[in-house]
Amino acid sequence: MSLPRWPVERLRPSPADSVERPFVLTQTGAGGERLYALTPAAEAARLSVGMGVADARALAPALQARAADPEADRAALKRFARWAGRFSPWTAPDPGLPGLDGVLLDVSGCAGVFGGEDQLLTRLVNETRALGLTATAAAAPTLGLAWALARFAAPDTARAWVSVDGVGATLPGLPVEALRIGETAAKLKRFGLKRVADLQALPRASLAKRFGLELVRRLDQASGQERESLTPLSPQADLRARVRFAEPLQTLDAITAAAGDATARLCQALEQEGLGVTRLRITLYRVDGQARNVLIGVAAPSRDPDHLKRLLKERLARASIDIGFGVDLVEAGAALARRLDHAQGDMASTGVEGAEAARLADRLNARLGADVVQHPRPQNSHLPERAASWSPHGEGVTWPQRAERRPLLILDRPEPAEAVAEIPDGPPRRFTWRRVRHDVKRAEGPERLAPEWWRAPAGAGPGLTRDYFRVETDAGRRFWLYRDGLYASETMQPAWFVHGAG
Amino acid sequence: MPRAASRRATETTCAQVRECPDRRARLDRLRDHIAALEGEGVGQIRTLARLNAPEAPVSGLAANDDPLAVFRAQAGLHDLRPDSYLDAPAAYVFAACWLARLPGDRPLVWVRARGDTRLDFGAPCPDGLAELGLDPARLIRVEARAGADALWAMEEALNAGAFVLGEAGLARSYDLTASRRLHRAARESGGQVLVVRAHDADGTSAALTRWRLASMPGAAAPWRGAGGLPGLGSLRLRAVLERRRGGAPASFEMEWEDDAVRSLEPAALAGRAPQALAS
């Protein structure tokens, strides 16, 4: 599909507005600001691309000009290509020189859904034009030919459709610019080679010699002798299900319900394939040509519509979704899927099995954010803060029996305390922590832990040895303190830290 | 436990089991007993023993039995509250002991309320849990924001059939309605939820029981110790049952038997094979 006025029209979505005053985008070129893209009204005022802004203002005093932003154009085109995903799962933006922007769609196998290629093209063009964009579209067996037809043949008919047999007949009649060769086209024209037929008449070797291999390659691609495929935005042709509405949905509740319906249908498809999603993608297509993806992670592969619907509800409630003028198509896709065989749970069991725990984790993550749910994992380290790590997955953990005694609660980072202790390695007699003074009545220790020198950054030294003490205060409260550094050999004034309690 | 004592205990349990009205209660009773038999020894589940008799004797309780068993047997919500700011770890220890003695191996969901400074004494230490008899592999830590999010996470966890230890500090969202919801969710799943509140929190709650926990100086273990100070004996707690649905308040002083030396009674030596003694 070709979008010849993309840069101006994406800024001016309403066609009625642009008719009245000429609107142009400018770009700094040779000799100052030059016109970059024009509206039809500007063209009617006899402005043309490349003209200086001052000249243009002389011709059209009511001219509105704005600086062009090709980067933003490209980004917007990418979003638009995502929106075009409603016609085909394989879409890609195709930015080009001014006037040659477009979107590529691989519609192989999609036409049947819309009732034939003709219907598909009509619908594509109509829906795009409804957004206020000038659009022409063409379908052809090769990418190159479709590109050419959309830009050079279709303007008369708004759409063109060429079957496999028609390639040989259509291609020779097209101008040489239609071969996606940029500057080379002007060169060819100087030699009087205006149509593709003129090129085909010449020997390939001399063409390649004079105009470069690119020309020959493009020619082959257009005629289908060389294979070319597009790089789609969402690379996997995954399972998806969609719900389309005649009237755009305006409320989040309606969208959530629609996404639930799409998910339920997706689950049926998954059931047939024997798959379960591990990442569900909900795409909301807005009427104004935007699309928004919402991804939902699932801990264990699932195709349970009720479970997925609950996740969806939490996730959509949390995501700030700009509905715009409404959403008219909701699609549920299996972004990541894994094999899921039928499993039957034990109905009598009251305990939570792995599946139930995974569901719980999904629900909590969907509402409270990722990484909220954590399972402990034993680590091979003697330092208390490294002896356990927390990870979002908890399967298959067997906790080792450790001889060292640890408190029930452990502070994420040890907090400094002021302690009175005998030197060199006596337990604390008194300490002040969080502004409360404690008298120690019972103490055990020290448990001496050497620093993990192999983790220390190069040149930083090995770190300090810790002497851990379990203490009980006069009120019976238990704390876990350590002296940071051995007296005399490592430091003269060892600091004390409280690391745990209980 | 010496063999004669364990046989005696088994006999009394059998008698109790026969008295139990339904099959489920009978099974639970047996499970408890087996767990108690297996749990004897060092580094395993140890019992919460009663030091002093409760002021009002709890009905249906054998003399040597765990005084809290009758409360633990009820599915639902229990409120815990430290006596003072520094007693918060004692409340967690009490909760962990409570959960460790519950039958079954349901996951244990520890819902932490971020930004609650009253209860901020650190994260659960898996090795510390293992010491109190809870398998750390069962632990699921949930880091929620204090307030409605944390309460929601507790309810979801209960619906999923887990045991829940939740922090609700001073959260104003933990009111009669919220506690009723939690209680109902716990009852429906047959689970338990222990909510630790701040020492100065007030407000009503639909909990079955409300406890106030404080640390107590424990016995000394002079054979350990460091720097002239005796070592730490068994952990002691004072648990005051402030409120109880359909019952009178009570007060317990409890000791967590964790002394390896005292657990190693001569019976263990006598049971050893002769070769081991010789070497």
Side-chain angles (χ1 to χ4, degrees), chain A residues 363 374 410 429 442 444 472, chain B residues 123 141 156 218 224 227 232:
Chain A
R363 283 202 291 276
Q374 294 161 332
I410 189 161
R429 297 292 176 141
R442 322 227 186 281
E444 280 174 20
E472 189 177 294
Chain B
R141 186 173 83 170
E156 284 293 316
R224 287 194 298 244
L232 284 72

Side-chain angles (χ1 to χ4, degrees), chain A residues 210-340:
Chain A
R210 268 175 197 254
F211 304 107
L213 278 172
E214 179 69 9
L215 173 64
V216 181
R217 196 167 66 87
R218 289 297 192 190
L219 196 58
D220 286 348
Q221 282 177 345
S223 60
Q225 286 170 19
E226 188 177 319
R227 196 181 158 72
E228 186 189 11
S229 57
L230 60 92
T231 313
L233 279 178
S234 49
Q236 272 176 317
D238 40 28
L239 281 175
R240 45 181 85 189
R242 41 178 58 189
V243 182
R244 187 184 282 273
F245 296 93
E247 285 292 314
L249 304 176
Q250 303 282 3
T251 62
L252 186 63
D253 284 347
I255 289 172
T256 310
D261 290 348
T263 309
R265 281 207 222 164
L266 177 70
C267 288
Q268 288 174 4
L270 288 166
E271 175 102 48
Q272 284 170 5
E273 303 278 331
L275 294 171
V277 285
T278 50
R279 191 180 295 158
L280 177 69
R281 187 188 54 229
I282 300 293
T283 314
L284 307 173
Y285 293 99
R286 279 162 45 176
V287 283
D288 54 353
Q290 305 276 326
R292 164 82 193 261
N293 275 344
V294 179
L295 290 174
I296 296 150
V298 185
S302 165
R303 55 166 176 258
D304 176 2
D306 293 334
H307 175 53
L308 293 176
K309 275 184 200 171
R310 282 188 70 174
L311 296 185
L312 196 76
K313 206 172 148 195
E314 301 293 353
R315 182 70 181 82
L316 288 178
R318 191 166 64 90
S320 50
I321 290 170
D322 183 7
I323 296 172
F325 294 104
V327 169
D328 66 340
L329 176 62
V330 178
E331 181 183 272
L336 284 178
R338 260 195 279 161
R339 183 137 298 279
L340 175 65

Side-chain angles (χ1 to χ4, degrees), chain B:
Chain B
M1 197 184 290
R3 218 164 271 171
S6 78
R7 196 178 310 125
R8 211 160 43 240
T10 310
E11 275 162 15
T12 42
T13 312
C14 286
Q16 283 163 356
V17 165
R18 272 192 289 278
E19 282 163 24
C20 282
D22 62 326
R23 187 164 165 269
R24 190 173 177 106
R26 252 181 247 171
L27 276 175
D28 283 348
R29 188 90 219 174
L30 279 173
R31 274 201 198 106
D32 277 355
H33 180 64
I34 292 167
L37 284 180
E38 287 178 349
E40 288 301 321
V42 185
Q44 301 206 5
I45 300 176
R46 287 160 289 230
T47 53
L48 269 176
R50 179 179 50 195
L51 273 188
N52 300 348
E55 288 156 13
V58 180
S59 59
L61 197 68
N64 285 329
D65 218 339
D66 178 355
L68 300 184
V70 65
F71 306 112
R72 260 201 313 265
Q74 304 171 30
L77 168 70
H78 303 273
D79 269 2
L80 312 180
R81 192 169 305 209
D83 197 35
S84 67
Y85 167 69
L86 286 166
D87 285 320
Y92 285 114
V93 169
F94 180 80
C97 294
W98 180 296
L99 293 170
R101 301 274 288 148
L102 290 175
D105 58 348
R106 299 181 180 209
L108 167 63
V109 178
W110 189 309
V111 180
R112 298 197 65 204
R114 268 199 310 243
D116 211 335
T117 51
R118 306 284 172 125
L119 297 175
D120 180 22
F121 281 83
C125 172
D127 289 311
L129 274 178
E131 208 166 293
L132 292 176
L134 272 167
D135 181 8
R138 283 169 62 194
L139 176 66
I140 299 171
R141 186 173 83 170
V142 177
E143 299 274 345
R145 275 187 303 277
D149 276 355
L151 292 171
W152 179 82
M154 290 179 215
E155 197 178 325
E156 284 293 316
L158 284 171
N159 289 336
F163 293 136
V164 178
L165 198 170
E167 301 177 2
L170 274 180
R172 214 168 297 154
S173 47
Y174 183 76
D175 53 9
L176 193 61
T177 318
S179 59
R180 238 182 229 150
R181 284 185 68 105
L182 284 180
H183 180 60
R184 207 195 53 214
R187 283 201 79 92
E188 280 172 7
S189 69
Q192 301 238 347
V193 49
L194 303 176
V195 174
V196 181
R197 307 226 54 204
H199 64 279
D200 52 352
D202 47 13
T204 49
S205 153
L208 285 173
T209 58
R210 193 172 83 198
W211 299 84
R212 186 169 280 279
L213 288 316
S215 305
M216 281 179 69
W223 54 91
R224 287 194 298 244
L229 292 172
L232 284 72
S234 304
L235 182 92
R236 281 190 201 178
L237 295 175
R238 177 181 291 111
V240 181
L241 177 56
E242 289 186 325
R243 283 188 51 166
R244 177 184 172 205
R245 249 196 230 180
S251 160
F252 302 90
E253 286 180 8
M254 289 180 308
E255 187 167 49
W256 180 258
E257 289 282 352
D258 65 344
D259 197 327
V261 177
R262 246 190 285 175
S263 300
L264 276 174
E265 283 175 316
L269 277 173
R272 222 187 276 173
Q275 303 94 297
L277 280 178
S279 65

